[in-house]
Amino acid sequence: MAGKANMHELGAGTSSINPHHGSTRNPYDPGRVSGGSSGGSAATVCAGLCPVALGADGGGSVRMPAALCGVVGFKPTAGRLSNSGLLPLNWTVGMPGILAATVEDALIAYAAIVDQSKPSPLQQPELNLPLLTCTRSMPNIRLAKYAKWFDDSSEDIRSLCGKALRMLHTQYGWEVRVLKDIIGAKVRTVEVTVPEIEEMRLAHYVTMGSECTASLAKYLDHMSKSEIGWDVRIGLSAYRSFSSRDYLNAQRLRSRQMYFHEKIFEAADAIVTPMTGVTAYPLQDDALRTGELDYINGAALVRYSIAGNFLGLPAITVPVGHDRGGLPVGLQLIGRPWSEATLLHLAHAVQEACCAAGERRSKPPKVHFDLLLAKD
């Protein structure tokens, strides 16, 4: 173990602005956020301090900072990795994840920490680890793209992610199926949608918040509000407003979304999206001591994260280039349950295609270690 990384307080935010331990800064630009909540892990890997770091992903908290810092973020299927040692803040949506410099490093870390020797409450299929050099032997891969959702991102992100898909088609002949509409309750053609995305986002928020307050109740009842950052204080107040009826209704929506996604995976091997709707945004000086609630940027950062957590689906993000300001952009692949081997193959193909096209930098950016490690 090389060390312990900073993070957003209680994992309850997307910036990793932590008023108690300092704000984690993005190695590509120390004046910008690293993402959260596992921003310290992402920045550490990006800066080259270590090849692999762990994080917890309850709402994109591994994948989103990985995208903002230009590294790989991998969240396996819920239950594939042991939750032992993980603070059970939101036990049905939160799970361990891996941040790594490359897809190969992510695979090595995954192979090292996955454990099938102990019984699992979930019926897991046998573990398969991919041989990444055989990616070209994977024919007829179908990538599902819901155009309206995919395009709900900045111009640079849309352009880079779209270019990555075209490169995959050129190099491997893989098909990108554009998802447009759903017919009744049954998918009759490949032209389907990812329905009720906003409802899924709200149901995930209710689930995550309800479980967080239940987990922390015995601590929060004896804590002074002054011990908690302002942004987390507001978040916890919102979480406490949810009723048991709200939670149960959210689980009904979860079952509905699982049905929708099962139908999509009948027509496709993976869903492809940008990882975030925006790249890393600037740190505000007046937020460093208090924390920050930026719902506009926060909503854009988690826009594509929710299905992986709310439905427990495996997902991975891979760097595909940099915007006009030189900030990293990530492409996300979401798979059917237990399809980690396929996702790692696909991610490796994206990585190789982008490297061949010169979209990934051969070395990390110049790192301002004094700013990365200093407490604000």
Side-chain angles (χ1 to χ4, degrees):
M1 300 299 292
K4 182 166 64 174
N6 197 5
M7 60 178 287
H8 203 105
E9 184 179 9
L10 288 180
T14 59
S15 66
S16 289
I17 297 174
N18 190 315
H20 309 290
H21 301 290
S23 300
T24 304
R25 297 174 179 270
N26 194 311
Y28 277 85
D29 182 346
R32 294 178 181 269
V33 299
S34 63
S37 60
S38 301
S41 296
T44 299
V45 174
C46 174
L49 301 179
C50 61
V52 172
L54 299 181
D57 197 315
S61 290
V62 164
R63 293 162 287 146
M64 180 259 288
L68 296 193
C69 291
V71 299
V72 173
F74 178 41
K75 187 204 77 65
T77 307
R80 181 64 94 181
L81 298 179
S82 170
N83 281 347
S84 177
L86 193 71
L87 189 66
L89 285 180
N90 25 65
W91 57 91
T92 71
V93 297
M95 56 209 73
I98 298 165
L99 301 101
T102 66
V103 176
E104 294 90 337
D105 287 346
L107 170 58
I108 291 169
Y110 173 59
I113 65 178
V114 69
D115 183 6
Q116 290 203 311
S117 64
K118 298 178 182 178
S120 169
L122 300 175
Q123 294 297 316
Q124 296 188 31
E126 183 181 354
L127 176 69
N128 290 303
L129 299 174
L131 186 61
L132 297 182
T133 55
C134 295
T135 300
R136 287 190 177 275
S137 65
M138 297 176 65
N140 304 321
I141 293 295
R142 302 159 301 169
L143 301 177
K145 171 188 170 186
Y146 176 27
K148 182 179 179 181
W149 191 32
F150 190 98
D151 292 341
D152 191 13
S153 54
S154 72
E155 180 182 349
D156 286 355
I157 291 176
R158 286 196 304 273
S159 174
L160 287 165
C161 290
K163 181 179 179 181
L165 296 182
R166 291 191 295 274
M167 287 191 294
L168 288 177
H169 178 71
T170 299
Q171 292 198 27
Y172 299 97
W174 293 348
E175 179 182 0
V176 178
R177 297 190 170 187
V178 179
L179 309 180
K180 294 181 179 178
D181 197 11
I182 190 167
I183 303 173
K186 182 178 180 181
V187 176
R188 304 182 190 276
T189 72
V190 295
E191 293 186 348
V192 297
T193 189
V194 183
E196 301 176 7
I197 291 175
E198 180 62 15
E199 289 84 349
M200 178 169 61
R201 184 188 70 81
L202 293 173
H204 168 265
Y205 187 71
V206 169
T207 301
M208 180 178 65
S210 299
E211 293 176 358
C212 180
T213 51
S215 296
L216 296 175
K218 64 180 181 180
Y219 304 106
L220 296 175
D221 290 343
H222 298 92
M223 286 182 68
S224 168
K225 288 185 177 180
S226 62
E227 297 180 67
I228 308 172
W230 292 7
D231 59 329
V232 175
R233 205 181 306 175
I234 294 171
L236 290 173
S237 296
Y239 296 166
R240 284 175 160 173
S241 70
F242 301 142
S243 66
S244 57
R245 178 179 295 179
D246 295 331
Y247 184 81
L248 292 175
N249 283 334
Q251 307 324 301
R252 291 173 177 168
L253 282 169
R254 177 182 270 178
S255 297
R256 183 175 170 87
Q257 280 293 330
M258 280 300 300
Y259 173 80
F260 289 145
H261 280 72
E262 286 169 0
K263 291 301 178 182
I264 291 171
F265 287 125
E266 289 178 3
D269 299 293
I271 299 170
V272 61
T273 74
M275 187 60 248
T276 61
V278 295
T279 51
Y281 61 87
L283 283 162
Q284 304 297 327
D285 290 341
D286 59 356
L288 300 180
R289 297 290 182 185
T290 61
E292 176 185 71
L293 278 176
D294 185 338
Y295 278 117
I296 295 176
N297 281 312
L301 289 177
V302 302
R303 181 165 295 142
Y304 304 102
S305 302
I306 303 306
N309 299 105
F310 193 48
L311 308 181
L313 301 175
I316 190 167
T317 179
V318 186
V320 293
H322 306 83
D323 68 7
R324 280 170 282 191
L327 298 171
V329 171
L331 180 76
Q332 178 179 224
L333 297 154
I334 306 169
R336 59 173 60 89
W338 317 114
S339 64
E340 288 85 2
T342 299
L343 278 188
L344 287 163
H345 264 302
L346 300 180
H348 184 256
V350 173
Q351 177 180 278
E352 293 299 292
C354 290
C355 284
E359 294 293 343
R360 291 194 61 173
R361 292 185 178 178
S362 58
K363 59 182 180 180
K366 181 180 179 182
V367 178
H368 302 262
F369 287 103
D370 55 334
L371 287 176
L372 281 176
L373 303 178
K375 181 173 178 178
D376 292 305

